[in-house]
Structure formats: structure tokens, C-alpha cells
Amino acid sequence: TDLFICVSYYDEKIGKRDKVLDSTSNVKVIHNGSTTPSEQSINYSVHMPLRLVMIARFSPQKDQETLINAVTKLPKDSYKLTFVGDGETLQTNKELVSKYGLNHNIKFAGFKDDISDELINNDVYILSTHYEGLPISIIEAMSYGLPILATNVGGNSEMLENNINGFLFTSKDELAEKLNYLINNPETVKKMGQESYRIFSDEYSLSQCLTKINNSYLELLD
């Protein structure tokens, strides 16, 4: 292979650990990218109760259950949570929400081809997950100026600057603590959202990603 392109430094580390890559390998890290929304689509206003959203397929990897357990620790009048997606663990999570009596707080929106409305109309993006490479969903949420709360796994820490454009967490209790902080500090939600958009613009726009890939191909051809 003439060139290995990894979408995160985490994946490069995994490649070296598993001996797919070695000291002679030609390796570049080029982060995933996402299209840039129109300026009118980016809304830094903060709603009360705070609107939370997680967009992911329902599977054991995408650990929606931890998020549901975390919000049980929040006052019911302080938040609304929307899950977007479909999959094998959807019914189990719906049953968990009913068990906790949170049907008024938590909505299951199902699968959507276009998630722009969810990113425009919500305040905080959450990705509770067991493992990741470099999730496109976080990049998309950053492009709409949302602060990010994500499990500290995979390449999440490459996009999320802790305490700058959101928070990394490792447990449901830590997630609940960070959510409670944002609920009580709406100005921080706005500030972190602005930082998310800055980080997206600096590193994660699709045009930048494609330019880097194209330049890498041209270098090989030369």
C-alpha cells in the first residue's frame, strides 16, 4: 500500500498496535469532514427547558441506555431529550423510558435522512457510546454550533476540547453532573456552541478534508 489514510490519531494508534502499520508505512491522519450549513441555520439561542439530542443508530455500541439513566438524575422540568435513529435496541430503550416515567421528557423521533432540523432546534448534542473512530455525527453537530457531551473513547477527544466546546465523560454520574451544570449555566451552552463552530471551521469542514485527500493523491502521483 502506498498510503494509509486514518480518520483519527486514535485509528493510527490502533493500526500500529495491531501491526497493520509499522515504522516504514506511509501514514497520514486526515480527519473526517462535514458540509458547512448556511449561516441562517446556526442558532446560538438556548431554550429552557434545555433541549438535548442524540443522533445514532440503536445498537449495543451506541449506548443510549447510559444517557437515559443519566437524565433520571435531573429535574424533570429542566430538560427535553430527543433520540434520532432506529435499530435493534430501540424497543429496549423505549421500555426503559416508560419504566422511569419519562415519556413526557424523552422523544423517539425515528430514523431521519435529514437531521438538520434536529441540530437547528436543539441546544446540546450528546453521544453516549462504547467505542468510536471519528464520529461524523459530532462533526455535524459542531457545524451547527452545538456544544458536545461525548464518552471519552476513540477519536472523540480529538474534536472535543474538554471544558471548551463541551465535556468528555466516562460514566452516567459524570454525564448527569455535566448536564446539570449546563442546565444551570445557559451562557456556557452558548459560549461552548460558538467554540464548537470555531473548531469545526478550523479543522473539520468537508472542503478542507477533500483538499487534504486530493493533495495526498497528487503527492503520490508526483
Side-chain angles (χ1 to χ4, degrees), residues 82-100:
T82 299
F83 285 110
V84 180
D86 200 354
E88 60 187 298
T89 62
L90 175 60
Q91 187 57 38
T92 302
N93 281 275
K94 284 184 174 180
E95 291 168 3
L96 187 61
V97 168
S98 295
K99 173 187 169 184
Y100 287 135

Side-chain angles (χ1 to χ4, degrees), residues 44-206:
Y44 294 116
S45 62
V46 180
H47 302 87
M48 287 298 158
L50 198 66
R51 297 181 185 177
L52 317 172
V53 64
M54 177 170 170
I55 302 169
R57 71 182 183 279
F58 278 83
S59 70
Q61 175 196 353
K62 309 291 186 179
D63 180 25
Q64 286 92 348
E65 186 173 332
T66 287
L67 176 51
I68 294 169
N69 284 315
V71 298
T72 63
K73 302 175 182 296
L74 305 176
K76 285 188 176 182
D77 62 353
S78 67
Y79 75 94
K80 295 288 185 180
L81 169 60
T82 299
F83 285 110
V84 180
D86 200 354
E88 60 187 298
T89 62
L90 175 60
Q91 187 57 38
T92 302
N93 281 275
K94 284 184 174 180
E95 291 168 3
L96 187 61
V97 168
S98 295
K99 173 187 169 184
Y100 287 135
L102 294 176
N103 290 302
H104 181 67
N105 288 79
I106 299 176
K107 178 177 77 172
F108 293 89
F111 175 81
K112 291 188 175 185
D113 284 313
D114 182 358
I115 46 83
S116 56
D117 282 351
E118 298 294 347
L119 297 176
I120 292 169
N121 295 316
N122 285 290
D123 304 310
V124 178
Y125 183 77
I126 304 166
L127 187 64
S128 175
T129 180
H130 288 302
Y131 57 90
E132 290 293 337
L134 197 86
I136 293 286
S137 66
I138 288 182
I139 300 173
E140 289 176 327
M142 288 167 56
S143 78
Y144 281 83
L146 295 186
I148 309 298
L149 273 70
T151 317
N152 191 11
V153 295
N156 289 353
S157 61
E158 295 174 39
M159 298 177 286
L160 204 168
E161 296 180 15
N162 208 23
N163 299 307
I164 301 297
N165 70 315
F167 298 111
L168 295 164
F169 61 87
T170 58
S171 68
K172 68 176 185 295
D173 290 336
E174 194 175 2
L175 173 54
E177 176 191 335
K178 300 306 184 187
L179 285 170
N180 195 53
Y181 175 81
L182 292 178
I183 286 166
N184 291 302
N185 294 275
E187 280 304 310
T188 300
V189 176
K190 180 178 179 179
K191 183 179 178 183
M192 285 184 163
Q194 292 168 335
E195 290 295 326
S196 273
Y197 185 77
R198 175 189 63 79
I199 293 168
F200 164 78
S201 298
D202 287 348
E203 178 65 24
Y204 295 98
S205 70
L206 183 59

Side-chain angles (χ1 to χ4, degrees), residues 3-9 27-33 134 203-204 208-217:
L3 174 66
F4 293 90
I5 297 178
C6 298
V7 298
S8 66
Y9 292 101
V27 185
K28 284 191 177 182
V29 174
I30 300 177
H31 286 134
N32 286 327
L134 197 86
E203 178 65 24
Y204 295 98
Q208 287 174 302
C209 171
L210 294 176
T211 297
K212 290 176 182 177
I213 292 173
N214 190 57
N215 288 342
S216 297
Y217 292 166

